[in-house]
Amino acid sequence: MNINATLIGQAIAFAIFVWFCMKYVWPPLLDAIEARQKKIADGLTQAERAGKDLELAQAKAAEKLKEAKAQAAEIIDQANKRRTQIVEEAKNEGETERSKIIAQGEAEVEAERNRAREELRQQVATLAIAGAEKIIKRSIDKEANSDIIDKLVAEL
């Protein structure tokens, strides 16, 4: 009987151990497991939200980058147009200045040409008078014959 009593005692002890575990050990363990499961589920939900937020942020960043590239292209296009306009304005100014310089040069050449002609006429008139004096062997009165001299100079 000793063996049966030991077995019964062991069975009772095991039953008390199981009851004790079910009463005092299992509830905190189950609560801890449930809390851990809830924490894991919340973490997974947050990770999923974070993944969606990341995708949204990447899409927004891509859109901003696209907008920035378009804006940069527009600024470059405007700068190229302005550069072309400045070059064209400078070309026009240069052309105008060139025309002014050429006109001024032509006017100076014409004035110098006229001055040289007048000087040449005066020299020719002086030579003609000197030649005429020698031919006639007398002095010609310049003031008295100025109309003849002027006519002679004009013909030259």
Side-chain angles (χ1 to χ4, degrees):
M1 268 232 194
N2 235 351
I3 293 180
N4 279 340
T6 308
L7 280 174
I8 291 179
Q10 284 179 350
I12 291 174
F14 182 71
I16 291 174
F17 175 73
V18 170
W19 174 81
F20 178 78
C21 284
M22 294 208 32
K23 181 84 175 169
Y24 297 105
V25 176
W26 285 108
L29 284 176
L30 289 176
D31 288 343
I33 289 171
E34 286 176 7
R36 179 73 176 153
Q37 285 176 340
K38 185 175 189 277
K39 200 175 195 181
I40 290 170
D42 290 345
L44 290 173
T45 304
Q46 287 178 353
E48 190 176 305
R49 280 189 200 143
K52 289 179 182 178
D53 289 345
L54 177 63
E55 288 176 11
L56 182 62
Q58 286 175 339
K60 284 182 181 180
E63 182 65 28
K64 291 288 184 185
L65 183 61
K66 184 178 176 183
E67 289 174 9
K69 284 182 180 180
Q71 191 175 24
E74 183 178 334
I75 289 170
I76 289 171
D77 187 46
Q78 288 174 353
N80 285 336
K81 286 179 182 177
R82 180 64 183 141
R83 180 195 66 199
T84 303
Q85 181 182 8
I86 289 171
V87 167
E88 195 62 36
E89 287 173 1
K91 188 189 292 184
N92 290 340
E93 281 182 28
E95 194 64 33
T96 303
E97 189 64 25
R98 183 180 75 83
S99 296
K100 283 181 185 178
I101 291 171
I102 288 173
Q104 185 180 10
E106 288 174 350
E108 288 175 8
V109 166
E110 188 63 30
E112 185 64 26
R113 186 181 302 149
N114 289 338
R115 189 191 61 76
R117 277 187 194 148
E118 191 57 37
E119 189 176 309
L120 184 60
R121 283 181 186 159
Q122 291 296 328
Q123 289 175 359
V124 168
T126 303
L127 287 174
I129 291 173
E133 280 180 350
K134 286 183 180 181
I135 292 174
I136 299 176
K137 298 281 185 194
R138 66 181 178 108
S139 176
I140 297 177
D141 185 11
K142 290 183 188 178
E143 292 168 9
N145 298 314
S146 66
D147 60 333
I148 296 172
I149 294 171
D150 288 341
K151 187 176 178 185
L152 180 62
V153 168
E155 289 177 6
L156 296 176

